Amino acid sequence: MLVHGAKNSALPILAASILCTSECVLHNCPALTDVGTSVEILETLGCRIKRTGTDLWVDPTGVSNGDVPDGLMRKMRSSIVLLGAIVSKLGQARLTFPGGCELGPRPIDLHLEALRKMGLHIEEDGGSLVCAVRGRLHGEVLRLKFPSVGATENLMIAASCAQGTTVICNAAREPEICDLADFLNRCGAKVAGAGGRTVTVEGVERLHGCEHRIIPDRIVAATYLAAAAATGSALEVRGVEPEHLSAVLSTLEETGCTVRTEPGRVALAAPSRLRPVRLLSTRPYPGFPTDAQAPLMAAAATAEGESVFVENIFESRYKHAPELCRMGAEICIRGRVASVRGVPALHGAQVAAPDLRGGAALVIAGLAADGETRVSGLEHIDRGYERLEQALAAAGANIRRMEREGKHG
Ligand code: UD1
């Protein structure tokens, strides 16, 4: 199966593109609803955007509006990553507070505290953030309490055209951070250290456009591999960076899968029944990604023994568990810990995708289950997977989209 470009790279790179003084061409840009929302926001700001296949052409020369409408902010909580770019470009921005989301509270204190240190004046006014800076933002030493992916990205973007040098300590180290740094540097920025704990950004006057290829989506790859593991199948995923998947691949090996990697490819062969995972603990990269927790839980649901999951990144990230239980899974949640007692088989049921990755987990469980499973809430899944059902059907799965549910979720 061919893996499409990474949603979590495309979103910050699109945000950063508004800083450029000429057109950017993004290759391998996935056609996801979250990317569509980003495009809509950028168009509201004044960008002109055109898509040809997987290429996105972004002309940011008309950017003049710094207000992001509330409806669009609510559609995609991660749109806070635009703040650094907008204020850096226009000197002001007005956004609504992203608030909570299906994964629990989604605070943005780290973003705001650091941007304030860089000289941004932020007023919180009845759910809105009214932001302005006199002149340019200025470089600072910024220490994050937690290596937040979004905050690291926001600050890297804001610092690119700030006056002086910014040092981001305890930065997130995800591959998407490196992809954003590569994009920014191609546009003329001076970002060093991405992928390590300290990222240093020397501010430049302006960025120019560039051509950039978005990295493969490691979470989509992990989802396909989890589907193969759950169904006792052999599968090859192509167009991936195996080193981005190390934690996921070693967990799959622990369950008894045979994994072979070569540049751009991962081949997996699953046993007829998986072994349990002793302890799957989600951590910032290079630890096990929280986004792959739900798909792996679907696979562990039919393992021969008990698996223990610990979710350390988000508070409410087990909403798929009660849905899996409707299919016969035995999962007990206590705070951050989920014990998954493997059952010999799941059975089909009617279930609802609670969020993006939880939805993918239910699809995986449905493929492994006896009988038919109906998953509703496809709008969650479409945020991060390009036609998931087509990709799985092409690999031999018996799955189809029922249009009525596609339209109404
Ligand atoms: C990004 C990814 C998401 C992934 C997550 C963790 C995108 C678009 N989304 O989300 O898929 O699950 O990384 O790998 O790239 N936090 C604060 N204050 C802040 C910011 C974050 O307390 O100002 C907390 C969050 O509540 C959460 C943790 O830090 O508990 C991680 O959040 P963060 O790394 O910021 O995730 P996102 O960037 O939102």
Side-chain angles (χ1 to χ4, degrees):
M1 293 171 86
L2 187 62
V3 170
H4 59 66
K7 167 176 91 70
N8 290 352
S9 268
L11 302 183
I13 287 175
L14 276 167
S17 72
I18 70 172
L19 281 180
C20 299
T21 50
S22 53
E23 190 172 67
C24 296
V25 187
L26 303 179
H27 301 294
N28 202 29
C29 191
L32 304 166
T33 53
D34 265 9
V35 172
T37 304
S38 281
V39 165
E40 246 183 280
I41 297 177
L42 261 59
E43 285 174 343
T44 312
L45 302 178
C47 286
R48 286 185 10 192
I49 302 183
K50 187 173 81 192
R51 179 183 275 279
T52 328
T54 58
D55 294 344
L56 211 61
W57 306 68
V58 183
D59 173 1
T61 52
V63 172
S64 59
N65 168 39
D67 289 9
V68 181
D70 182 49
L72 290 174
M73 276 303 286
R74 281 175 193 271
K75 260 194 185 173
M76 204 175 62
R77 308 280 172 192
S78 52
S79 40
I80 188 65
V81 77
L82 280 153
L83 180 56
I86 301 176
V87 291
S88 180
K89 176 90 171 190
L90 301 173
Q92 56 85 27
R94 190 185 182 103
L95 274 67
T96 53
F97 225 87
C101 74
E102 58 273 8
L103 306 184
R106 203 126 180 190
I108 52 168
D109 53 314
L110 301 175
H111 300 243
L112 301 188
E113 194 183 311
L115 287 169
R116 279 189 169 118
K117 264 189 111 177
M118 295 176 77
L120 185 63
H121 182 78
I122 306 173
E123 261 181 55
E124 297 175 26
D125 169 24
S128 283
L129 295 168
V130 184
C131 310
V133 58
R134 217 182 281 157
R136 285 162 70 188
L137 294 169
H138 58 78
E140 264 295 341
V141 176
L142 307 168
R143 180 170 296 280
L144 299 178
K145 278 191 307 235
F146 180 87
S148 154
V149 175
T152 303
E153 292 166 346
N154 220 343
L155 300 174
M156 281 164 63
I157 296 169
S160 288
C161 293
Q163 204 149 28
T165 300
T166 300
V167 182
I168 308 170
C169 307
N170 198 25
R173 299 157 66 194
E174 271 67 3
E176 294 75 20
I177 300 287
C178 300
D179 203 23
L180 174 63
D182 288 346
F183 170 79
L184 288 166
N185 287 338
R186 263 195 198 120
C187 294
K190 293 188 174 160
V191 181
R197 286 189 200 283
T198 307
V199 177
T200 306
V201 186
E202 204 184 308
V204 298
E205 287 278 326
R206 64 182 64 81
L207 300 183
H208 51 72
C210 78
E211 270 193 53
H212 179 80
R213 186 175 174 81
I214 288 171
I215 58 168
D217 198 311
R218 62 198 166 96
I219 306 301
V220 169
T223 303
Y224 292 166
L225 294 169
T231 54
S233 311
L235 183 75
E236 185 177 79
V237 289
R238 289 179 291 116
V240 290
E241 295 282 354
E243 66 272 31
H244 295 170
L245 286 159
S246 304
V248 171
L249 297 182
S250 44
T251 301
L252 286 165
E253 282 179 326
E254 189 189 333
T255 65
C257 294
T258 310
V259 174
R260 260 188 315 108
T261 63
E262 51 183 277
R265 283 165 196 261
V266 175
L268 175 140
S272 56
R273 189 153 184 210
L274 296 179
R275 290 200 297 262
V277 187
R278 199 169 36 84
L279 178 65
L280 186 157
S281 187
T282 65
R283 302 260 176 230
Y285 191 83
F288 191 95
T290 171
D291 289 349
Q293 175 254 107
L296 263 290
M297 188 178 288
T302 50
E304 201 162 10
E306 181 167 310
S307 302
V308 177
F309 286 64
V310 181
E311 172 56 57
N312 293 300
I313 310 295
F314 288 106
E315 269 179 37
S316 306
R317 214 168 190 181
Y318 285 138
K319 290 192 175 150
H320 46 281
E323 300 295 312
L324 290 171
C325 291
R326 289 174 78 130
M327 302 175 71
E330 290 185 12
I331 303 170
C332 172
I333 310 279
R334 274 190 218 94
R336 294 185 175 279
V337 181
S339 313
V340 183
R341 190 125 54 88
V343 292
L346 296 176
H347 54 77
Q350 206 147 357
V351 288
D355 52 55
L356 165 58
R357 308 301 171 189
L362 298 180
V363 170
I364 293 173
L367 297 178
D370 295 334
E372 188 178 275
T373 297
R374 287 186 182 210
V375 183
S376 63
L378 302 189
E379 72 280 6
H380 291 297
I381 298 177
D382 291 338
R383 285 183 43 218
Y385 297 89
E386 239 183 65
R387 285 273 171 189
L388 179 62
E389 77 287 357
Q390 279 181 14
L392 292 169
N398 185 355
I399 180 171
R400 71 191 164 90
R401 177 179 297 248
M402 297 166 74
E403 272 317 321
R404 205 171 59 83
E405 289 185 356
K407 276 180 194 142
H408 303 294

